[in-house]
Amino acid sequence: MRIVILEDYPDRLAGTVQQLNDICPGCEVDVLCYNPQNDYGTKTEELRQKLSCNVTIVNYWNLEEQLDELYNDPDTLFLFDTDIDRGAVIEVFEYRINVRYALKKRDDEGEQSYRIWFYTTVEHLKRAIERTFGEHVIVAGQNGTSLRLELEGCPTFVEALGIHQAV
């Protein structure tokens, strides 16, 4: 089983990757680092070592292709950071690249096999993400520079994790 995290600030994920490894021993955790400004450049290997997982740098032009490739494996679950636009003001929530992708997959797959969950620490986005994705939202908090996901508090994620671990 694989868990893919889409995040634009991967430095804060060390605790999250460890958390996922603790609740899902033997799972492969991958990070897709959304980097629209191409400012991570040569930091990929440094991030791999810090996070102890595979890190792939993606941008606006190749994100969907990378996600599609990973989504083709039915034994892969996804955790998307809601705010990957690095401060860009996108007034229509549904226009965000990650939200558009998730909505497309939800419409294509139906509720049965939908495998994307969202998290955010940005207060003004919480209502929009909960309204749009309901039971596929994981409560997140940030302690200093570390992200903490309340994975056990999301029944749909826990159920999916159990189903995929049993396979």
Side-chain angles (χ1 to χ4, degrees):
M1 178 177 154
R2 175 186 286 162
I3 300 173
V4 175
I5 306 170
L6 174 61
E7 172 69 60
D8 63 336
Y9 289 104
D11 291 328
R12 69 184 189 158
L13 292 179
T16 305
V17 171
Q18 183 60 51
Q19 179 186 8
L20 288 165
N21 286 327
D22 289 347
I23 66 168
C24 186
C27 286
E28 181 181 336
V29 179
D30 291 347
V31 172
L32 288 183
C33 174
Y34 185 70
N35 184 26
Q37 284 86 13
N38 290 323
D39 54 354
Y40 278 104
T42 59
K43 286 182 66 176
T44 305
E45 189 55 39
E46 181 183 323
L47 287 168
R48 279 188 189 119
Q49 289 177 5
K50 180 178 182 178
L51 301 176
S52 300
C53 71
N54 185 43
V55 175
T56 303
I57 307 293
V58 293
N59 59 38
Y60 180 83
W61 306 109
N62 68 354
L63 175 62
E64 191 166 334
E65 178 183 331
Q66 290 285 327
L67 286 171
D68 280 345
E69 186 177 311
L70 293 165
Y71 207 91
N72 283 334
D73 178 0
D75 204 28
T76 300
L77 306 178
F78 296 83
L79 301 174
F80 283 9
D81 181 9
T82 303
D83 189 26
I84 63 167
D85 296 308
R86 299 238 186 139
V89 177
I90 298 178
E91 293 182 23
V92 180
F93 179 74
E94 290 80 10
Y95 289 174
R96 292 172 176 269
I97 189 170
N98 50 340
V99 173
R100 283 192 331 253
Y101 184 84
L103 287 170
K104 182 178 83 169
K105 286 300 180 190
R106 185 177 69 184
D107 292 345
D108 290 349
E109 303 291 329
E111 292 296 323
Q112 292 264 357
S113 58
Y114 184 62
R115 297 174 280 129
I116 298 172
W117 286 263
F118 278 87
Y119 63 89
T120 190
T121 59
V122 180
E123 283 300 319
H124 71 274
L125 293 175
K126 286 182 180 179
R127 186 175 290 148
I129 199 69
E130 289 169 351
R131 181 183 67 243
T132 307
F133 293 102
E135 294 179 346
H136 279 252
V137 176
I138 296 171
V139 174
Q142 194 156 341
N143 184 5
T145 60
S146 184
L147 180 69
R148 175 85 179 146
L149 302 180
E150 294 180 24
L151 300 167
E152 297 85 358
C154 182
T156 58
F157 183 76
V158 171
E159 180 182 348
L161 198 58
I163 289 170
H164 288 272
Q165 280 183 308
V167 172

